Amino acid sequence: MYVGSADGFRLERQTEYGTPEQNAAVKEIVEAVKLEGDAALLRYTEKLDKVKLQPADLRVPQEEIEAAYDKVEPEFLAALRQAAANITAFHEKQKRTTWIDAQPDGTLLGMVLRPLRRVGLYVPGGKAAYPSSVLMNVLPAKVAGVPEIVMATPPATGGREGIDPYILVAAAEAGVTEMYRIGGAQAVAALAYGTASIPAVDKICGPGNIYVALAKRAVFGAVDIDSIAGPSEIAVLADDTADAGYIAADMLSQAEHDEMASAVLVTPSAKLAAAVEAELQRQVATLPRREIAEKSLEQYGAILTVPTLADGVAIINRLAPEHLEVITEDPLELLGGIENAGAIFLGPYSSEPVGDYFAGPNHILPTNGTARFSSPLNVDHFLKKSSLIRYSRQALLRDAAGIATLARHEGLEAHARAVEIRLEGEQS
Amino acid sequence: MYVGSADGFRLERQTEYGTPEQNAAVKEIVEAVKLEGDAALLRYTEKLDKVKLQPADLRVPQEEIEAAYDKVEPEFLAALRQAAANITAFHEKQKRTTWIDAQPDGTLLGMVLRPLRRVGLYVPGGKAAYPSSVLMNVLPAKVAGVPEIVMATPPATGGREGIDPYILVAAAEAGVTEMYRIGGAQAVAALAYGTASIPAVDKICGPGNIYVALAKRAVFGAVDIDSIAGPSEIAVLADDTADAGYIAADMLSQAEHDEMASAVLVTPSAKLAAAVEAELQRQVATLPRREIAEKSLEQYGAILTVPTLADGVAIINRLAPEHLEVITEDPLELLGGIENAGAIFLGPYSSEPVGDYFAGPNHILPTNGTARFSSPLNVDHFLKKSSLIRYSRQALLRDAAGIATLARHEGLEAHARAVEIRLEGEQS
């Protein structure tokens, strides 16, 4: 872990672009599924997931989804439902609708907003199958009004048969309309180009391994994709009023995710810096994922001391962290200076897991410094806009000369004539 | 030109990914500028643009911008200013601001909206240097509140010295804050990674040749980029009430752009179909860009007859055209059925060039079927969002058990403990 002045610290992690072999493998799979459809999809499922399926097996039947409800604990279902209600309520506030500005001369100008028609969500198998991520991906699409939301998840992982019932329940609760037991690059290709069994989608979301990420890059353009997430990050900006135990606990909740995760404290208080360092050591010792958390702290953890909180804000803006906690005497005072952060948690009770699971805002956030220009997953990501122009005859008469001047300057005579043909006989 | 039933028509054009040689050349340039900064930038400018510059020459001085005003016609400037005012007014209506929902228990949840800090606009040299595109790229960023808007354009094109004064005037009018005489992949790399003379930007917009497009793909991730535009398209949905001359003129205003452009009429009226075909032949004969327009119509033009207007709407949704004109007896009647179109022009006076230059909505629109999931360039493209969570003690007490249940189910013990450490001694 880096401990010291902020000047020397630079958080930089490589974006995963895969090896040439991985890229070649993905290209082969994507092309095959695009050309052959179900036949290639089933072939790669047998080869890579070691499961032999028929086309009729691809879609998860309603009975399997209903049976999953019997396998989850009532307190899990209750917590999931409350989280879903909170996430829905927060995303409802983001929703915008079509607007039209009607002008006195008869002109209408506006923006037409519509949901995407069909969205695909990839859910990885195994330990990375998080019900909370199913909610976070599906509910913004649902709030946007997307009528068809399709989930793809591997048919089996590591010898375990069937799909995790917690994932099936989360998907059903969130409002997924079709579920398919397909995984990997072949699943992404099937969603992008469609097969006889699985109609193509307009956008693919959700996390996955390197093969899934490369496949999403490969199909981008034919469909939209969400951003390709990097390892998770937290930065905490704190002063002497903060509780070192809280801060260490929050840093560890990031560090336990994976060895590439990053947890950084920025503080003007040398006393707090020392206390957090000691608390990290104390708390990490009893964690089930101790090894991962220790490796993460060792490689990407940092405690940065700064002269003032204002200097701390400047460091935060340079880091552009995925998650930012501000635990200071007056956190709202600092809000206006924070330019770059995926999610901002203010005050001592806003522990990051509150946002990961429950409060309502999305936990799918820009990583690796992209908060400089990217946003949390939100309802806008599932809407498309069309601009609307209804010009009146009067408006065209008024503007025709200006339009023709600009068109002719750009050497586009047919543009000028398209306007002028409508005025023939008007003023002569 | 394809003339006939819509069933057989499929508009498909290749997205440009470049040859292996072009990709290798771009990779070399981008890496060199990333590593060496100004030195590589000046070296490639001399090699590729045949202009030898010093670092101090890179930025266009204020005097050169002022001198450009003396070189443009007053009617050009007047038309440009009116267009800029209309574009600004339309984009102002899109603007959204930070919102916070304050809950009775002391919890605050919200979305913080902020402009990007620094945006780069690439403007190609030569015939593709369109002042109208400068306005369309810069003004949404300006309305969003982006404080630094940087333009890059080649130092000379085809033997012509210096930068087009019309481009300089358009950039100054739109509010560009810095202008640099750099072009090609080296300009994109300089904007993305920064050099001693040119600080890095957060997002790069604007059209360019294949080298510029490949460089934008290469730097994506380090910075944001806009979408990479394909050739332009228009579809016209019309019935017997439409004027065949208007429709042909509008189709030609698209076809004159380039040989890859596409103009398609969809109509239930055999009479209109025949009349438009005749008008196209008549009008194209006198166009300065006749050869380009004829080639475009031959390759990608179509007149499609459909049984009913409702069938026409279905074809339009399949095409997802960049521009759609609806010239029917009651165009607003059809609006609700149109799912996929970049810009929708309603009625006989809404000729596409009205939107290209003047009405206010953006002319940078999704091409090649991407209107299924993409939107016109708009103010949101220059804002970033952060979610805001300020949980109260009371709210944390209420939700702690649910959060811990979900976290432990996902195997993330440190997440559960980060919440529970805040409740120690609370209820015991």
Side-chain angles (χ1 to χ4, degrees):
Chain A
M1 186 164 70
Y2 179 96
V3 179
S5 138
D7 301 333
F9 183 73
R10 188 151 165 68
L11 178 64
E12 206 164 3
R13 288 169 305 183
Q14 210 54 46
T15 314
E16 273 269 53
Y17 289 107
T19 64
E21 293 71 33
Q22 289 169 330
N23 274 282
V26 165
K27 196 176 167 195
E28 183 195 309
I29 295 170
V30 168
E31 288 298 319
V33 174
K34 185 178 176 183
L35 275 171
E36 299 172 53
D38 279 344
L41 177 61
L42 295 172
R43 195 166 70 238
Y44 284 108
T45 299
E46 183 171 0
K47 183 177 167 193
L48 301 171
D49 291 316
K50 316 291 179 203
V51 181
K52 196 171 166 60
L53 299 173
Q54 300 301 316
D57 304 327
L58 289 172
R59 186 160 176 180
V60 179
Q62 192 54 36
E63 308 85 67
E64 188 172 339
I65 299 161
E66 280 161 25
Y69 275 83
D70 297 332
K71 298 178 191 158
V72 308
E73 303 77 26
E75 59 273 24
F76 171 85
L77 186 59
L80 187 82
R81 283 184 169 157
Q82 186 59 53
N86 295 349
I87 296 163
T88 298
F90 183 78
H91 287 77
E92 287 282 0
K93 290 188 203 299
Q94 299 170 7
K95 200 173 174 181
R96 289 183 300 171
T97 50
T98 295
W99 58 266
I100 291 181
D101 177 36
Q103 300 180 354
D105 68 10
T107 293
L108 307 177
L109 298 177
M111 296 285 273
V112 179
L113 274 73
R114 276 182 217 288
L116 305 193
R117 168 148 294 279
R118 187 170 166 89
V119 167
L121 165 63
Y122 188 85
V123 177
K127 286 196 175 171
Y130 290 148
S132 60
S133 293
V134 173
L135 299 186
M136 293 290 183
N137 270 291
V138 172
L139 291 171
K142 204 79 195 169
V143 169
V146 176
E148 300 175 15
I149 304 177
V150 179
M151 183 175 85
T153 192
T157 327
R160 196 163 48 84
E161 269 298 312
I163 300 173
D164 180 5
Y166 296 85
I167 292 296
L168 291 180
V169 166
E173 290 291 315
V176 166
T177 54
E178 297 158 48
M179 306 186 200
Y180 295 96
R181 52 181 106 249
I182 51 174
Q186 62 274 20
V188 173
L191 291 173
Y193 300 112
T195 71
S197 303
I198 305 173
V201 302
D202 297 315
K203 179 167 188 157
I204 300 175
C205 292
N209 64 17
I210 183 70
Y211 295 96
V212 169
L214 293 176
K216 280 166 70 181
R217 271 187 205 277
V219 303
F220 179 48
V223 297
D224 196 16
I225 60 169
D226 61 356
S227 58
I228 293 177
S232 202
E233 301 146 9
I234 191 172
V236 182
L237 178 63
D239 64 14
D240 258 334
T241 66
D243 181 304
Y246 295 5
I247 294 174
D250 294 351
M251 289 173 76
L252 288 170
S253 81
Q254 203 52 233
E256 76 170 342
H257 268 294
D258 77 84
E259 295 171 2
M260 296 277 289
S262 166
V264 177
L265 168 66
V266 181
T267 181
S269 164
K271 192 177 136 210
L272 184 73
V276 169
E277 200 179 348
E279 274 288 330
L280 282 170
Q281 284 191 22
R282 194 181 69 77
Q283 292 185 27
V284 78
T286 64
L287 281 182
R289 294 164 74 94
R290 173 179 183 168
E291 272 184 50
I292 293 170
E294 282 182 339
K295 196 126 189 196
S296 151
L297 287 179
E298 187 190 317
Q299 295 184 104
Y300 299 107
I303 295 180
L304 307 179
T305 47
V306 285
T308 66
L309 279 176
D311 297 308
V313 169
I315 300 292
I316 294 300
N317 286 333
R318 226 178 66 197
L319 290 173
E322 184 191 10
H323 305 92
L324 170 66
E325 289 185 0
V326 184
I327 310 183
T328 58
E329 196 174 359
D330 186 359
L332 276 166
E333 172 91 6
L334 300 178
L335 181 62
I338 296 160
E339 287 202 35
N340 303 325
I344 304 169
F345 297 78
L346 300 179
Y349 299 105
S350 311
S351 176
E352 194 215 296
V354 166
D356 289 344
Y357 289 109
F358 223 76
N362 212 288
H363 79 196
I364 297 161
L365 299 166
T367 56
N368 215 4
T370 58
R372 285 185 296 121
F373 49 77
S374 297
S375 303
L377 190 70
N378 63 73
V379 173
D380 288 344
H381 288 119
F382 298 99
L383 294 170
K384 63 199 172 194
K385 306 177 185 107
S386 305
S387 48
L388 179 80
I389 298 178
R390 192 261 182 208
Y391 240 43
S392 64
R393 197 176 66 93
Q394 194 184 332
L396 192 68
L397 274 168
R398 181 192 64 213
D399 294 340
I403 296 168
T405 297
L406 294 172
R408 290 206 166 94
H409 168 74
E410 295 185 354
L412 297 172
E413 176 67 20
H415 282 63
R417 291 190 191 174
V419 170
E420 289 168 352
I421 194 174
R422 287 162 159 92
L423 307 179
E424 277 170 12
E426 279 289 349
Q427 288 166 308
S428 61
Chain B
M1 188 165 68
Y2 178 97
V3 180
S5 139
D7 302 331
F9 182 73
R10 186 148 167 71
L11 177 64
E12 205 164 4
R13 287 169 306 183
Q14 210 55 45
T15 312
E16 272 269 51
Y17 290 104
T19 64
E21 294 72 31
Q22 289 169 331
N23 275 283
V26 165
K27 196 176 168 194
E28 182 196 308
I29 296 169
V30 168
E31 289 297 320
V33 174
K34 184 178 178 184
L35 276 169
E36 299 172 54
D38 278 345
L41 178 60
L42 295 172
R43 194 166 72 240
Y44 284 107
T45 299
E46 184 171 0
K47 183 176 166 194
L48 301 171
D49 291 317
K50 316 291 179 203
V51 180
K52 197 172 165 62
L53 299 174
Q54 299 301 316
D57 304 329
L58 288 172
R59 185 158 176 183
V60 179
Q62 193 54 37
E63 309 84 69
E64 187 172 338
I65 298 162
E66 279 160 25
Y69 275 83
D70 297 331
K71 297 177 190 158
V72 308
E73 303 77 23
E75 59 273 24
F76 170 85
L77 187 58
L80 188 81
R81 284 183 169 159
Q82 187 59 53
N86 295 349
I87 296 164
T88 298
F90 183 78
H91 287 77
E92 287 283 1
K93 289 187 204 298
Q94 299 169 7
K95 201 173 172 180
R96 287 181 302 169
T97 50
T98 293
W99 58 265
I100 291 181
D101 177 37
Q103 300 180 355
D105 67 12
T107 292
L108 306 177
L109 298 178
M111 294 285 275
V112 179
L113 274 72
R114 278 184 214 288
L116 305 192
R117 169 148 294 278
R118 188 169 165 89
V119 167
L121 166 63
Y122 188 85
V123 177
K127 287 197 174 169
Y130 291 146
S132 59
S133 293
V134 173
L135 300 186
M136 293 291 183
N137 270 290
V138 172
L139 291 171
K142 204 80 194 167
V143 170
V146 176
E148 301 174 13
I149 304 176
V150 181
M151 183 174 85
T153 190
T157 326
R160 195 163 47 85
E161 269 298 310
I163 299 173
D164 179 4
Y166 295 86
I167 291 296
L168 291 180
V169 166
E173 290 291 318
V176 166
T177 54
E178 297 158 51
M179 306 185 199
Y180 295 96
R181 52 182 106 252
I182 51 173
Q186 62 273 23
V188 173
L191 292 173
Y193 300 111
T195 71
S197 302
I198 306 174
V201 302
D202 298 315
K203 179 167 187 158
I204 301 176
C205 293
N209 63 19
I210 183 71
Y211 295 96
V212 170
L214 292 177
K216 281 167 69 182
R217 270 186 206 278
V219 302
F220 177 51
V223 297
D224 196 17
I225 60 168
D226 62 355
S227 59
I228 294 177
S232 203
E233 303 144 10
I234 191 172
V236 182
L237 178 63
D239 64 13
D240 258 334
T241 66
D243 181 306
Y246 295 5
I247 293 173
D250 294 350
M251 290 173 76
L252 288 169
S253 80
Q254 202 53 234
E256 77 170 342
H257 269 295
D258 76 82
E259 295 171 0
M260 294 279 288
S262 165
V264 175
L265 168 64
V266 180
T267 180
S269 162
K271 193 175 138 211
L272 184 73
V276 169
E277 199 178 351
E279 274 289 328
L280 282 170
Q281 285 191 23
R282 193 181 69 78
Q283 293 185 28
V284 78
T286 64
L287 282 182
R289 294 165 73 94
R290 172 180 182 167
E291 272 184 50
I292 292 170
E294 282 181 340
K295 196 126 188 199
S296 151
L297 288 179
E298 189 189 314
Q299 293 184 106
Y300 298 106
I303 295 180
L304 307 179
T305 45
V306 283
T308 67
L309 279 175
D311 297 309
V313 169
I315 299 292
I316 295 300
N317 286 334
R318 228 178 64 196
L319 290 174
E322 183 190 11
H323 306 92
L324 169 66
E325 289 185 1
V326 183
I327 311 182
T328 57
E329 195 172 2
D330 186 359
L332 277 166
E333 170 92 8
L334 301 178
L335 180 62
I338 297 160
E339 288 202 36
N340 303 325
I344 305 168
F345 297 78
L346 300 179
Y349 299 105
S350 310
S351 177
E352 193 215 296
V354 166
D356 289 342
Y357 289 109
F358 223 76
N362 213 288
H363 79 196
I364 298 162
L365 299 167
T367 56
N368 214 6
T370 57
R372 283 184 298 121
F373 49 77
S374 297
S375 302
L377 191 70
N378 64 74
V379 172
D380 287 343
H381 288 119
F382 298 99
L383 295 170
K384 62 197 172 193
K385 305 178 187 110
S386 304
S387 48
L388 180 80
I389 298 177
R390 191 261 183 209
Y391 240 45
S392 64
R393 196 177 67 91
Q394 194 184 332
L396 192 68
L397 273 169
R398 181 192 61 213
D399 294 340
I403 296 168
T405 297
L406 294 173
R408 291 207 165 94
H409 168 73
E410 294 184 356
L412 297 173
E413 176 67 20
H415 282 63
R417 292 190 190 174
V419 170
E420 289 169 350
I421 193 174
R422 289 162 158 91
L423 308 179
E424 278 169 14
E426 279 287 350
Q427 289 168 306
S428 59

